[in-house]
Amino acid sequence: MDFTLDDEQEALRDAVRGLLGKAYDSSETRREVTKQDPGFGEDTWQRLAEMGVLGLPFAESDGGMGAGPVEVSIVAEEVGRVLAPEPFIETVVLAGGIVAAAGTDEQRADVLGRVAEGSLILAAALKEIGEPVTASQSGDGWTLSGSKEPVLHGERADAFVVSAKTDAGTGLFLVEGDASGLTRTGYRTHDGGRAAHVAFDGTSATPLGDVSADQAGVLETAVASAQVAYCHEAVGAMTVALNTTVEYLKTRKQFGVPLKTFQALTFRAADMYVSMELVRSVASWATLVLTDEPTRALEAASRAKLQVSTSGRHIGQEAIQLHGGIGMTAEYSVGHYTSRLTAIDHWLGGGADHLKRLASSVGDHEVVEPLPE
Amino acid sequence: MRLHLTEEDAAFREEMREFFTTQVPQHIRDTVAARRELSKEQMVESMQVLNAAGLAVPGWPVEWGGKDWTPLQRHIWHEELQLANVPQPLAFNAGMIGPVIAAFGSQEMKERFLPKTANLDIWWSQGFSEPDAGSDLASLRCAAVRDGEEYVVNGQKTWTTLGQYGDWIFTLVRTNPEAEKKQAGISMLLIDMTDPGVTVRPIELIDGSVEVNEVFFEDVRVPAENLVGEENKGWTYAKFLLGNERVGVAPVGATKRMLAQAKEHADLDDVLVASRIAELENELMALELTALRVVAHSADGKPHPASSVLKLKGSELQQEVTELIVDLAGPMSLASGAGDGSDVPDWARVATPGYLNFRKASIYGGSNEVQRQIIAGTILGL
Ligand SMILES: Cc1cc2nc3c(=O)[nH]c(=O)nc-3n(C[C@H](O)[C@H](O)[C@H](O)COP(=O)(O)OP(=O)(O)OC[C@H]3O[C@@H](n4cnc5c(N)ncnc54)[C@H](O)[C@@H]3O)c2cc1C
């Protein structure tokens, strides 16, 4: 049991922090970038590719770096610290992770190779508001019908990883961005991101791996890895939201004294710190579970996501409150952190969804043992 | 980063588990499991079983019976002990005065007290708080005046936990009322509770238990050799002691055990109950992992400032679980006084007294407000 990073991991963290810190040297820079489509920096994306970050979790034979969940978590946390809008988790961890888990050798080498190079923005289309997207076989090809929403970065995406209903259950498909019968309607999300309604109308799709079997399990596992990565993005965001708030309490004066004179405020900051420590612990643990005890991946992801929901709301809400009016403005950073934390909370299962999952299994164990027996 | 324990640590955990579940008498562990009050004899027996195996005071220096374990091994020892329903070694002995004497006492004092302290041949009480000195401990007034080779002690201590069993009491006393800073006029004095002039008076608590006392000192003559370390340095020793106390009061294992028992009485098909339990389990796990992180970063036995997080969150969760048990008992929770002829199960009878009693957890050991003060000040720089 060891929570410390090794030298190489620290070097990765420093390199990514350097790159993203330069790209988003202020909240204002980020706001400029997210105002323009596609909502992130194409050149920052290329620089991440050059650094090897976009191929981090993929096998070397697929054009990646062969790194594990710990390295992914390091990048995600840096993304969270500056609220970098690049779709690292969306494209690399989630959509890329699904391809890595379900794709054939050729699909992996082709698709993941291009993701790693930075030449392919891949979006995962998994959520439906109404009826599920259905897949049907016609001749030796497959087509999809129905619509997905919200699909993060669905407007900019070069290709989609789509889950669809098959006779076997859930199938996973790859759809090219220029496929006929594909319509996307993009919009902005409150956190500066982009999402889209993506409709399929007899759109031709390539099965990812073997869709004659139910791929729900493969999907769930890939989603769990992305959930844990999002938890680290949230940890990065919470760290900065807390630090910013603490600094503000030291510098802002009212009644002729710094705000930190008021215990009603410092106690609330202390409680935020407690929330921060708890969420950091659970997120790090969940990452280690992905590596060392993969049979508990779904449980670990739910535990982390639940804690992220609790701590994220607490820290996000208090960060604004302790700033007063300035915390409400788009010009100031702290509200954007709260907005992003709110998005993460509700993406890939909200706190309540994960609590429900955990509640349904409380009878399966006597105590929760975080360390393997 | 690595999740698994090393082979060595896993074997260590196995060894601890084996010992605690087979060598500590069942009647003692059953009493803990039933959340019934332990008798003095049971506590002494339990600590002596541990001490005979070298497991009572692992935190002490090796030459006085401690172990040169890693912080993680210390943590495993503590967790396994609680999970097995073994009473924790008496905190006043093992966690408080023992380490202070070992660190600051004279060789003579060490030889005189440490072996008996580890074996609970001496039962120590903690005489710090006074009626007018609680969180603001440094304002204490109980006075010790030097008279030849003796100190003459006059004043009062209060909240003295299990003082009714106490053989000796370690006290903070004012030896220099003129000191510029009130902290600089305090000394630590060891007092034999059978000395003439010492009176112990019980205080009944809201759960009906008598676990704390008032202790009065009236012209008590204490040999000067019972002074710990140097005169007027008591505050330094007290801070050292209170820092250790904070680490010890995050009873993760015991709370986990209590929650596991609560589950046995809960209707897990009731979604409100199940989700409340799931949330508590998650928070407890978060606390346990945080404890592991803090443990890994506590340098040379000094408490990490984040140990305040453990005290704060640990006591809150402990209280939340006791609250849950009362809710599970529902109307049966009123039957705390039931005896023979009642159908109310034992766990439900002790539910409310346990809940009321554990309101103390956020008050003692530095109240949770004091912990917030430490977090805000020491960690956040506010
Ligand atoms: C069951 C029990 C057992 C105990 N056992 C022992 C023992 O064995 N030996 C011993 O010496 N003592 C013991 N104590 C005493 C304990 O350490 C004190 O109760 C504690 O230090 C608080 O002091 P107080 O009770 O005087 O409360 P006060 O200090 O008067 O505090 C009252 C309230 O004000 C808050 N408060 C105080 N100061 C501040 C501040 N600066 N900022 C914000 N809030 C503040 C407190 O948190 C509390 O909520 C025990 C207490 C209990 C309840």
Side-chain angles (χ1 to χ4, degrees):
Chain A
M1 211 284 315
D2 179 6
F3 282 111
T4 48
L5 301 180
D6 64 29
D7 290 349
E8 250 176 79
Q9 290 164 342
E10 282 188 4
L12 171 70
R13 182 195 60 199
D14 294 346
V16 176
R17 185 172 295 182
L19 194 163
L20 292 178
K22 210 149 144 212
Y24 299 106
D25 56 355
S26 74
S27 176
E28 206 38 47
T29 318
R30 174 182 179 272
R31 216 149 68 94
E32 286 307 314
V33 172
T34 56
K35 258 186 201 154
Q36 317 291 327
D37 281 337
F40 64 88
E42 297 275 7
D43 40 342
T44 303
W45 190 248
Q46 290 313 314
R47 268 183 238 121
L48 287 167
E50 283 155 26
M51 194 178 268
V53 168
L54 304 187
L56 207 55
F58 308 142
E60 286 175 36
S61 52
D62 296 336
M65 307 283 284
V70 175
E71 284 74 15
V72 167
S73 78
I74 291 169
V75 175
E77 210 164 310
E78 295 308 317
V79 166
R81 288 178 75 97
V82 294
L83 302 182
E86 284 68 29
F88 169 70
I89 299 181
E90 291 76 10
T91 292
V92 177
V93 186
L94 181 57
I98 294 170
V99 174
T104 62
D105 291 355
E106 295 89 69
Q107 284 173 331
R108 291 201 314 270
D110 169 40
V111 177
L112 301 182
R114 285 188 288 148
V115 168
E117 273 170 15
S119 60
L120 185 76
I121 298 284
L122 204 55
L126 306 175
K127 294 280 154 212
E128 288 115 1
I129 291 172
E131 293 296 302
V133 166
T134 53
S136 23
Q137 202 162 10
S138 56
D140 40 342
W142 287 78
T143 58
L144 303 183
S145 291
S147 57
K148 294 279 187 179
E149 184 173 8
V151 178
L152 298 189
H153 295 284
E155 176 124 57
R156 166 63 182 80
D158 300 308
F160 296 87
V161 170
V162 189
S163 61
K165 210 173 130 190
T166 62
D167 290 342
T170 301
L172 296 166
F173 297 86
L174 204 60
V175 173
E176 292 300 330
D178 58 6
S180 66
L182 175 82
T183 351
R184 6 169 160 186
T185 316
Y187 46 83
R188 297 183 52 146
T189 54
H190 56 79
D191 58 339
R194 295 292 186 279
H197 172 272
V198 178
F200 307 95
D201 182 11
T203 309
S204 67
T206 316
L208 267 173
D210 180 12
V211 290
S212 68
D214 186 9
Q215 291 177 301
V218 177
L219 177 61
E220 252 182 354
T221 310
V223 167
S225 292
Q227 286 165 334
V228 174
Y230 276 121
C231 289
H232 283 277
E233 183 183 340
V235 165
M238 283 184 239
T239 307
V240 173
L242 172 59
N243 289 347
T244 308
T245 306
V246 167
E247 282 316 304
Y248 197 73
L249 294 181
K250 291 180 190 169
T251 48
R252 167 77 171 168
K253 283 189 173 171
Q254 284 295 281
F255 302 97
V257 290
L259 291 178
K260 70 167 188 165
T261 318
F262 304 114
Q263 202 183 53
L265 305 181
T266 59
F267 273 26
R268 287 162 75 172
D271 284 334
M272 290 166 77
Y273 180 79
V274 173
S275 277
M276 184 75 242
E277 285 295 295
L278 296 179
V279 72
R280 187 184 294 289
S281 301
V282 183
S284 302
W285 169 78
T287 291
L288 291 179
V289 170
L290 294 182
T291 326
D292 293 351
E293 219 188 2
T295 52
R296 285 181 82 180
L298 301 191
E299 179 210 336
S302 283
R303 293 197 176 285
K305 203 87 187 10
L306 173 57
Q307 188 63 50
V308 159
S309 174
T310 312
S311 292
R313 287 173 196 220
H314 176 208
I315 292 174
Q317 291 166 5
E318 290 289 73
I320 294 178
Q321 180 65 24
L322 268 49
H323 272 87
I326 191 82
M328 292 296 299
T329 64
E331 211 180 319
Y332 193 76
S333 68
V334 94
H336 296 286
Y337 284 85
T338 307
S339 182
R340 180 65 189 143
L341 287 168
T342 308
I344 292 174
D345 186 359
H346 294 92
W347 189 236
L348 303 186
D353 300 312
H354 289 285
L355 178 58
K356 215 179 283 171
R357 189 194 250 180
L358 295 170
S360 69
S361 64
V362 276
D364 303 352
H365 50 261
E366 199 188 0
V367 291
V368 177
E369 283 299 351
L371 302 185
E373 276 308 303
Chain B
M1 304 234 304
R2 175 170 40 77
L3 182 65
H4 288 265
L5 292 176
T6 60
E7 236 170 79
E8 200 187 336
D9 288 337
F12 177 83
R13 179 166 68 178
E14 212 32 63
E15 186 193 328
M16 291 299 122
R17 192 167 291 181
E18 165 84 17
F19 182 88
F20 293 138
T21 52
T22 60
Q23 301 304 306
V24 178
Q26 189 68 41
H27 72 94
I28 295 178
R29 299 195 296 120
D30 286 346
T31 307
V32 173
R35 303 176 70 207
R36 288 285 180 190
E37 211 174 297
L38 288 159
S39 67
K40 179 181 182 182
E41 290 68 33
Q42 284 179 310
M43 292 187 68
V44 171
E45 184 182 357
S46 168
M47 182 134 163
Q48 292 184 344
V49 169
L50 296 182
N51 194 42
L55 297 177
V57 291
W60 292 14
V62 174
E63 65 166 315
W64 297 108
K67 296 281 191 188
D68 55 357
W69 289 342
T70 60
L72 178 59
Q73 287 174 324
R74 269 251 300 279
H75 177 86
I76 293 171
W77 164 82
H78 194 219
E79 282 297 304
E80 290 300 326
L81 179 123
Q82 296 176 64
L83 283 172
N85 288 317
V86 174
Q88 307 208 31
L90 187 67
F92 309 114
N93 287 38
M96 298 187 193
I97 194 61
V100 168
I101 293 178
F104 306 107
S106 65
Q107 182 65 19
E108 228 179 331
M109 183 177 271
K110 289 178 195 175
E111 284 168 12
R112 181 170 167 210
F113 287 110
L114 288 180
K116 287 183 176 170
T117 298
N119 205 45
L120 201 42
D121 294 328
I122 295 176
W123 185 299
W124 285 98
S125 290
Q126 179 187 21
F128 282 15
S129 305
E130 297 179 8
D132 289 332
S135 301
D136 181 16
L137 185 58
S139 66
L140 61 91
R141 287 204 302 252
C142 183
V145 178
R146 185 79 182 231
D147 180 21
E149 281 313 290
E150 290 176 328
Y151 286 97
V152 181
V153 180
N154 277 290
Q156 185 196 340
K157 295 292 172 183
T158 190
W159 306 121
T160 315
T161 297
L162 301 179
Q164 67 268 39
Y165 302 152
D167 301 307
W168 282 74
I169 183 166
F170 53 93
T171 60
L172 290 178
V173 289
R174 187 154 300 283
T175 36
N176 180 5
E178 258 86 67
E180 225 164 85
K181 271 191 82 189
K182 54 189 178 182
Q183 285 84 354
I186 295 172
S187 299
M188 191 181 282
L189 208 53
L190 310 180
I191 303 177
D192 185 337
M193 292 177 80
T194 60
D195 278 348
V198 179
T199 314
V200 178
R201 223 160 49 201
I203 303 173
E204 185 179 346
L205 294 184
I206 46 175
D207 60 332
S209 72
V210 180
E211 66 175 39
V212 297
N213 302 268
E214 294 176 291
V215 181
F216 299 89
F217 302 92
E218 210 178 336
D219 291 328
V220 180
R221 302 194 78 85
V222 180
E225 66 194 38
N226 291 2
L227 177 76
V228 177
E230 293 173 46
E231 198 175 79
N232 296 325
K233 290 276 172 66
W235 190 250
T236 310
Y237 313 146
K239 277 201 305 195
F240 172 87
L241 181 152
L242 294 171
N244 292 335
E245 186 182 4
R246 221 178 300 139
V247 183
V249 286
V252 181
T255 308
K256 263 163 88 169
R257 177 52 64 213
M258 193 158 64
L259 184 56
Q261 282 166 357
K263 269 203 294 197
E264 290 172 18
H265 312 302
D267 171 11
L268 299 178
D269 293 327
D270 179 334
V271 288
L272 289 180
V273 170
S275 69
R276 195 163 154 200
I277 291 172
E279 240 174 329
L280 282 168
E281 283 188 340
N282 222 46
E283 298 228 310
L284 257 178
M285 187 192 77
L287 178 70
E288 179 173 0
L289 290 164
T290 305
L292 283 163
R293 281 178 49 225
V294 166
V295 152
H297 292 111
S298 58
D300 48 308
K302 282 212 194 96
H304 188 276
S307 53
S308 285
V309 172
L310 304 183
K311 162 65 170 67
L312 181 53
K313 193 70 195 177
S315 56
E316 283 178 359
L317 288 176
Q318 201 173 23
Q319 292 176 333
E320 281 179 50
V321 173
T322 60
E323 187 179 342
L324 168 75
I325 297 171
V326 181
D327 291 338
L328 293 176
M332 293 193 298
S333 70
L334 276 74
S336 54
D340 292 346
S342 159
D343 289 337
V344 173
D346 207 41
W347 70 267
R349 298 182 193 186
V350 298
T352 312
Y355 162 70
L356 292 172
N357 184 272
F358 268 93
R359 302 318 299 168
K360 70 188 176 186
S362 48
I363 298 172
Y364 63 29
S367 75
N368 284 9
E369 288 71 31
V370 168
Q371 305 304 336
R372 287 189 177 90
Q373 189 97 309
I374 293 172
I375 293 170
T378 314
I379 302 178
L380 300 178
L382 291 173

